[in-house]
Amino acid sequence: MQPVFASPDEIRTRFSHAMSQMYRAEVPQYGTLMELVAEVNAETLQARPDLAESLARAGEIERLSDERHGAIRLGTPEELATIGRLFAVMGMEPVGYYDLSVAGIPVHSTAFRPVGDAALARNPFRVFTSLLRLDLVADVDLRAEAAAILARRRIFTPQAIELVERFETRGGLTREEAERFVSEALETFRWHSEATVDAATYERLAKAHRLVADVVCFRGPHINHLTPRTLDIEAVQRGMPARGIDPKAVIEGPPERRVPILLRQTSFKALEEPILFRGERGAETGRHTARFGEIEQRGAALTPKGRALYDALLSGTRGEVQVGASGAGASSYADDLASRFRAFPDDRDTLRREGLAFFRYAPTPQGLAAAGRGETARDIDALVAAGHASFDPLVYEDFLPVSAAGIFQSNLGTDRQSNAASSGDRHAFEQALGRPVADETALYAEAERRSVADTLAALRPSSSRAVA
């Protein structure tokens, strides 16, 4: 008999729940944050029945409470290639290339996530995965020392590798194997307070860049944040201080809008955690800051035309306003951002008509009734105009490099906004990964195309369907 395999969606859901439980135990403020986000979401849905209806049509209500993204930082191409194989067991593919050198962060990244409509509806768990770029460390000797330290570590358990290979060979894992896989894979993301280096080495690497020390000096790529999705990020930002949580000064991404676009993110400050260094006379104690809490609000995925407008508006804002670690300048930045983004249409009809955002179409009850009478049109715009087809924005499932860099900067000690020159190397990243990353824009375009085709098919007049 053929074994019965657990679906990748099931394994991904098990893993994301296990990750959430582990992180809640490691970072208690994450639990507090989850409670705040749940309250804000419930209040928002009650106050905005139109939003609740739109989310229900798009299948987003069911996934909202489970939705998370995490982030890890890897040290070597081999680690990146293997993590890609591990995420494949959970139905997660690399989507997009992100160059964080735009903010002086020596990493480049991709997001591992599900890509199909059904998989996203089941559980859209994502892991923003960065690879350290030692080529951006100026000190040649320090670069070689860091590379040697990384070459000695093994971040995956032998049992996890064995189960990945079993998945690749047989095409799946049984439920019992999936349970063991989740347990073993979780070890890669667990926090370990013991550094793999002495205090002097840690300080040299931290002086080059604090993120370099975070990647190089520990046994593995501890999950540095888990992020729930909120429907009102301003409300969460306002509510954090009353819960004893210190938020960053600036919400990253676009300003507050009637129709949210892309991604908005905020976070609470990184924890200062005790660590033990290796030393000649036993262990020395020290402090390390890297892990933090983050919240996101997701909006509409933009077309290339919409993204070009967004990037132009954001670039002008960030180039002129600086936000310090104390939060000085935050209000000025927010005001300037809102002013500039008045040039970006803020209603669904215009966003659709001008081709600025991607949408998912669906037949309405009126449309289905008209189709039964043989009265519907064959053009999606005419169907929308007649009220025979609904349209809802496709949720942006990915990330923004400047916003991600802003979150990283905040938790390295500053909210300074940056628009530095890029030094990305997508070819080197994909070579390390062992395959190309998917084009997120093409995924959205295909999802919209499928929804148009499905809507036209559903609303074909019954006489035409009979002839066909």
Side-chain angles (χ1 to χ4, degrees):
M1 290 180 61
Q2 289 290 332
V4 177
F5 294 140
S7 72
D9 292 346
E10 179 184 338
I11 300 173
R12 182 175 66 258
T13 298
R14 284 190 186 190
F15 182 80
S16 66
H17 288 172
M19 178 88 82
S20 188
Q21 290 171 2
M22 181 186 77
Y23 199 68
R24 185 187 290 257
E26 293 180 348
V27 183
Q29 278 191 323
Y30 168 72
T32 305
L33 185 66
M34 290 296 299
E35 293 168 2
L36 173 61
V37 168
E39 289 177 15
V40 168
N41 286 350
E43 291 168 0
T44 304
L45 289 171
Q46 186 173 15
R48 294 275 311 278
D50 59 323
L51 176 61
E53 182 182 349
S54 175
L55 293 173
R57 277 197 306 265
E60 293 181 51
I61 292 286
E62 293 79 4
R63 75 182 224 183
L64 189 60
S65 61
D66 277 343
E67 188 156 353
R68 303 282 187 279
H69 94 246
I72 58 171
R73 304 158 183 167
L74 303 173
T76 69
E78 294 76 19
E79 291 176 355
L80 179 65
T82 304
I83 206 78
R85 295 168 60 203
L86 184 143
F87 284 136
V89 176
M90 297 182 265
M92 299 164 69
E93 299 295 326
V95 179
Y97 172 76
Y98 304 93
D99 169 29
L100 270 64
S101 67
V102 294
I105 308 291
V107 300
H108 47 182
S109 315
T110 192
F112 286 93
R113 67 168 177 88
V115 296
D117 292 342
L120 286 165
R122 175 72 183 273
N123 189 320
F125 182 59
R126 319 164 185 87
V127 179
F128 190 82
T129 303
S130 300
L131 176 64
L132 179 64
R133 292 188 59 188
L134 286 176
D135 60 299
L136 298 181
V137 175
D139 187 323
V140 176
D141 292 336
L142 189 64
R143 191 189 312 164
E145 183 178 10
I149 294 168
L150 289 169
R152 293 193 293 268
R153 76 176 185 178
R154 298 292 179 268
I155 68 172
F156 305 99
T157 70
Q159 293 81 7
I161 297 299
E162 178 188 338
L163 288 163
V164 168
E165 291 172 347
R166 190 173 301 181
F167 172 88
E168 293 169 340
T169 301
R170 298 189 310 173
L173 297 177
T174 66
R175 284 190 166 82
E176 185 274 329
E177 289 168 341
E179 189 173 339
R180 286 196 286 120
F181 168 81
V182 167
S183 177
E184 294 294 335
L186 204 63
E187 292 305 308
T188 296
F189 301 85
R190 192 178 298 280
W191 167 252
H192 298 283
S193 59
E194 303 85 8
T196 58
V197 301
D198 58 31
T201 301
Y202 175 91
E203 290 300 329
R204 287 198 304 274
L205 291 166
K207 186 175 180 181
H209 199 288
R210 284 173 59 185
L211 187 140
V212 174
D214 180 62
V215 175
V216 174
C217 299
F218 295 89
R219 288 166 51 185
H222 39 261
I223 190 82
N224 56 65
H225 64 267
L226 270 184
T227 304
R229 177 183 171 189
T230 183
L231 299 174
D232 187 343
I233 201 166
E234 269 80 20
V236 173
Q237 181 91 339
R238 291 192 300 268
M240 281 196 280
R243 306 289 180 110
I245 302 173
D246 182 19
K248 74 187 295 294
V250 170
I251 295 174
E252 297 290 341
E256 185 177 10
R257 295 165 44 89
R258 292 191 301 274
V259 182
I261 57 174
L262 296 174
L263 178 67
R264 307 183 70 208
Q265 296 172 288
T266 189
S267 66
F268 62 72
K269 300 297 184 180
L271 306 176
E272 187 176 76
E273 298 178 287
I275 56 174
L276 295 176
F277 294 111
R278 288 187 173 181
E280 295 180 3
R281 294 171 295 189
E284 305 174 58
T285 59
R287 310 291 292 180
H288 179 70
T289 55
R291 302 194 305 157
F292 54 93
E294 185 178 277
I295 313 94
E296 65 187 18
Q297 180 176 1
R298 292 188 172 270
L302 299 183
T303 63
K305 178 182 177 181
R307 185 60 184 266
L309 177 58
Y310 169 82
D311 287 341
L313 295 173
L314 185 69
S315 177
T317 307
R318 299 181 82 93
E320 295 180 11
V321 180
Q322 302 298 328
V323 180
S326 66
S331 177
S332 174
Y333 173 74
D335 290 345
D336 188 48
L337 189 69
S339 175
R340 288 179 182 270
F341 267 81
R342 292 193 186 103
F344 204 114
D346 195 12
D347 66 275
R348 292 186 178 193
D349 288 334
T350 306
L351 289 171
R352 192 187 75 87
R353 219 172 33 247
E354 296 188 4
L356 296 171
F358 290 109
F359 289 87
R360 175 176 283 110
Y361 295 85
T364 63
Q366 301 96 306
L368 291 171
R373 298 190 300 269
E375 298 174 357
T376 54
R378 297 296 302 138
D379 173 78
I380 194 68
D381 290 330
L383 289 170
V384 168
H388 292 172
S390 64
F391 60 97
D392 294 291
L394 278 174
V395 64
Y396 185 66
E397 306 284 358
D398 297 289
F399 297 92
L400 301 170
V402 174
S403 294
I407 293 286
F408 277 24
Q409 286 284 28
S410 172
N411 287 285
L412 293 171
T414 177
D415 267 302
R416 184 180 185 274
Q417 307 302 292
S418 175
N419 199 29
S422 167
S423 62
D425 192 344
R426 180 173 183 152
H427 174 72
F429 186 88
E430 292 182 330
Q431 192 172 38
L433 180 62
R435 53 179 159 155
V437 299
D439 178 352
E440 64 272 30
T441 302
L443 293 174
Y444 297 122
E446 175 59 20
E448 182 180 85
R449 186 203 65 77
R450 283 195 308 269
S451 76
V452 169
D454 291 346
T455 301
L456 291 175
L459 295 179
R460 186 185 305 162
S462 55
S463 58
S464 299
R465 289 198 293 270
V467 171

